[in-house]
Every structure is written in structure tokens, then in C-alpha cells.
């Protein structure tokens, strides 16, 4: 399999397992097209309360075996005992998955904050520690010689997993004060997180200001901006409902003016491309795009932003 030329800025994507087996071939084509951008990784979401990898693992394994791209598995704290969570982590590791996104997770349908839905793990930081511990226990023990000391040996370094965590530029809906999100990110970093991915935002200053505050507080891990092209009025309303983000008045007005779905898509793509350019110019270490299992929109955003060359798309 030939490896395409890398994009001018590191990129990555998020997809989700299809709801029915009949949709899997279409997702495989989307993965093929996304891989053409030579992303750093493709992440795959994971449903709450699961006890095994299931459809997520099927998609992750497909990425691992059929592309040159590293897959990244989502894990949540929802509904698992320590034993169940550890078994799930080992299942992913056994399949060759070495990148994870550790999330606290939202209440399942029918539950609310305050209900007992989390299981043994209560925070993403605890999940980060568990992933790191399971991997360390699973890694084979080996020794290496000590230079300059004949006959001496020391424990050889073991392979480390990469563990991403979430960050919230405009605060999590559950936050009690404006510094709580950075405190939580510091705790995740101390637990072993290797990088962070932000929730979506609509203004570059939201991300850039958050990164400045995080760095001042002592966060040193890379913080990737998570970007979502908003290509319809209905998607905007749904995103606002799920995230609690403030309504982006200019984007909302631009979408409202357009009745043609094609024009709404053009508005959303242009806004996302502008945002990509702005965060990259501000020093972002890459961009992470929420693809909604649609390669055309996110690849168009990257091309329009000047990050992806036109030839970096498969026919």
C-alpha cells in the first residue's frame, strides 16, 4: 500500500460505527478517503455502557489492517466496573490498538447528572490511569545492558500507549467555575494523558485564549482544536443542544439566510475553513475534524483552508 504525501499541517478525524451492518461498506469508503489525507489518526467513538469492543473494534481493526493510519479508540467511564473496563482495554490492546481517548462520558438515555451511571470509574483521569496500568501490566518484561558497566543490566523501557483526553475551551456544562476545566485538564495530564482534543468551538479566540490559560496554569501536553463543519441549520441546533455552546450569531444568520441545502453547506464549509486557518496561524499543533462519517465535507474544508492538496484525494 503506498503512503500519500502528508498534509501541510497534521490532521486527524473522528468517525463513529454505523448503526446498521448495511452501512459498513459506505464507512469503509469514507475511511479510505480520509486515509488519503495521511492523518495522524482516525478516532472511533464508543457507545456508553458497553462491555466489549463490538462494532467500534470492528471499525478500529479495519483502519489498522486496511490503511496506513493509526486508529484511536474512545473509552468512557459510564457503567463499567474496574474489571469490565480493564477487560475492554485489554481487548483493544490485544487487537493492536495503542491509542485511546479517555472520556468521563455523558449520562445514558433516561439518566441524568446525579444518577448512579458511572460505575467504578468516576473521572477521565482515573480512566487514564487504568489504561496506563493495564498496558504496563501487559507489556513484556525485558532487560538491556548498561553502557560502560559490563555485566550490568537494567529494565528496558516499555512501549507506552498514547492517551488523549477532552478539553473544553468554553467550559464544560457541569463546570462550577471558569478554572475548573483547566484544573481537570491538569489532573488528566498528571494521570498520564499525552495530548488533549477540544470540544468544538466557533471562534478562534476561544481556543487560543484557552491554550494560553492552560499553558500559564502548567499544562504542557499538546492541545488539538476539535472542529466541526456546521453545514445546516438543523445540525447547528442539535450541536448547541448537546454542547451548551453559545449560539454563533454570524454563522447562524448566514445559515438562516440560505434555503438551498447546497448553499448552507457552502456557508458551513467556508466558516470551518476560516476557523482552521485562524487556529493554525495562532499556533495550533494540528486540527481534529469531526467528520460525521462523511469524508467529502471535511476534506473540502481542508482543501479550502490550504492544508490538503487537491491531489490528496482518492478517485
Amino acid at each position: 500500500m503506498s503512503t500519500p504525501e502528508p498534509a501541510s499541517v497534521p490532521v486527524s478525524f473522528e468517525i463513529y460505527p454505523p448503526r446498521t451492518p448495511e452501512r459498513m461498506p459506505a464507512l469503509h469508503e469514507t475511511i479510505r478517503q480520509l486515509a488519503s489525507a495521511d492523518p495522524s489518526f482516525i478516532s472511533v467513538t464508543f457507545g456508553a455502557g458497553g462491555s466489549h469492543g463490538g462494532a467500534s473494534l470492528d471499525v478500529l481493526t479495519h483502519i489498522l489492517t486496511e490503511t496506513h493510519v493509526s486508529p484511536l479508540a474512545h473509552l468512557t467511564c459510564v457503567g463499567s466496573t474496574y474489571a469490565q473496563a480493564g477487560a475492554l482495554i485489554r481487548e483493544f490492546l490485544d487487537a493492536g490498538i495503542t491509542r485511546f481517548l479517555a472520556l468521563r462520558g455523558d449520562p445514558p438515555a433516561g439518566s441524568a447528572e446525579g444518577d448512579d451511571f458511572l460505575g467504578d470509574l468516576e473521572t477521565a483521569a482515573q480512566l487514564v490511569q487504568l489504561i496506563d496500568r493495564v498496558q504496563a501490566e501487559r507489556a513484556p518484561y525485558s532487560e538491556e545492558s548498561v553502557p560502560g558497566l559490563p555485566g550490568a543490566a537494567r529494565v528496558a523501557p516499555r512501549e507506552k500507549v498514547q492517551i488523549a483526553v477532552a478539553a473544553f475551551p468554553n467550559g464544560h456544562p457541569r463546570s462550577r467555575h471558569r478554572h475548573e476545566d483547566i484544573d481537570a485538564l491538569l489532573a488528566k495530564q498528571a494521570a498520564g494523558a499525552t495530548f488533549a482534543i477540544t470540544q468544538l468551538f466557533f471562534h478562534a479566540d476561544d481556543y487560543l485564549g484557552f491554550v494560553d490559560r492552560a499553558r500559564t496554569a502548567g499544562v504542557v501536553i499538546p492541545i488539538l482544536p476539535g472542529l466541526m463543519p456546521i453545514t445546516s441549520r438543523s445540525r447547528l441546533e442539535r450541536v448547541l443542544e448537546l454542547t451548551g455552546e453559545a449560539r454563533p450569531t454570524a454563522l447562524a444568520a448566514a445559515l438562516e439566510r440560505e434555503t438551498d441545502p447546497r448553499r448552507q453547506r457552502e456557508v458551513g464549509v467556508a466558516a470551518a475553513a476560516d476557523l482552521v486557518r485562524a487556529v493554525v496561524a495562532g499556533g495550533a499543533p494540528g486540527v481534529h475534524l469531526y467528520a460525521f462519517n462523511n469524508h467529502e465535507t471535511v476534506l473540502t474544508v481542508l482543501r479550502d483552508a490550504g492544508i490538503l492538496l487537491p491531489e490528496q484525494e482518492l478517485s
Side-chain angles (χ1 to χ4, degrees):
M1 180 183 299
S2 61
T3 302
E5 290 297 316
S8 58
V9 172
V11 301
S12 54
F13 304 104
E14 177 184 293
I15 58 176
Y16 54 84
R19 292 181 174 84
T20 64
E22 291 75 19
R23 297 184 181 182
M24 189 65 85
L27 181 58
H28 288 172
E29 175 59 17
T30 286
I31 291 169
R32 189 177 77 94
Q33 294 283 359
L34 294 177
S36 72
D38 194 29
S40 301
F41 60 87
I42 297 176
S43 73
V44 181
T45 63
F46 183 74
S51 59
H52 59 84
S56 294
L57 183 55
D58 291 342
V59 177
L60 290 160
T61 302
H62 177 84
I63 296 169
L64 185 66
T65 59
E66 300 299 325
T67 79
H68 67 284
V69 179
S70 296
L72 181 148
H74 289 214
L75 294 173
T76 78
C77 298
V78 176
S80 293
T81 66
Y82 279 110
Q84 289 171 330
L88 179 61
I89 293 164
R90 278 187 285 275
E91 181 180 11
F92 283 127
L93 289 168
D94 289 344
I97 310 303
T98 59
R99 296 190 183 198
F100 298 90
L101 173 60
L103 302 166
R104 174 187 181 270
D106 296 318
S111 300
E113 286 297 334
D115 294 343
D116 184 16
F117 66 87
L118 284 175
D120 290 343
L121 296 164
E122 297 178 349
T123 67
Q126 292 176 358
L127 181 55
V128 170
Q129 289 178 315
L130 181 61
I131 294 169
D132 195 46
R133 185 165 70 246
V134 170
Q135 193 275 339
E137 292 170 350
R138 183 179 172 280
Y141 173 86
S142 61
E143 295 181 346
E144 63 181 12
S145 59
V146 179
L149 295 175
R154 61 189 175 191
V155 177
R158 299 184 182 185
E159 181 185 1
K160 296 283 287 183
V161 292
Q162 293 190 33
I163 308 174
V165 292
F168 300 88
N170 292 314
H172 193 281
R174 291 188 297 268
S175 296
R176 294 164 294 183
H177 55 81
R178 69 185 302 266
H179 299 295
E180 186 171 11
D181 295 290
I182 291 179
D183 291 344
L185 186 54
L186 283 166
K188 296 172 190 177
Q189 176 179 274
T194 55
F195 67 103
I197 303 172
T198 75
Q199 182 177 264
L200 67 88
F201 54 89
F202 298 105
H203 308 287
D205 286 345
D206 294 342
Y207 166 77
L208 298 174
F210 174 79
V211 172
D212 284 344
R213 295 193 301 275
R215 297 290 181 243
T216 299
V219 176
V220 297
I221 59 176
I223 302 174
L224 286 176
L227 307 175
M228 180 185 296
I230 305 296
T231 54
S232 70
R233 288 172 288 183
S234 60
R235 176 165 293 179
L236 176 60
E237 296 305 320
R238 180 60 174 159
V239 163
L240 296 178
E241 176 186 349
L242 290 174
T243 65
E245 288 288 310
R247 181 178 296 276
T249 54
L251 176 59
L255 290 171
E256 191 66 33
R257 286 193 296 268
E258 301 297 341
T259 57
D260 184 345
R262 290 176 298 180
R263 284 289 302 139
Q264 288 186 21
R265 180 180 181 275
E266 291 172 1
V267 166
V269 166
D274 287 344
L275 192 52
V276 167
R277 283 190 290 267
V279 296
V280 169
V287 290
H288 182 71
L289 291 167
Y290 300 106
F292 277 101
N293 287 12
N294 181 310
H295 60 274
E296 294 178 355
T297 298
V298 291
L299 293 181
T300 299
V301 167
L302 292 175
R303 286 197 301 271
D304 289 357
I307 289 175
L308 184 65
L309 300 176
E311 58 266 25
Q312 283 178 257
E313 181 179 8
L314 298 176
S315 58

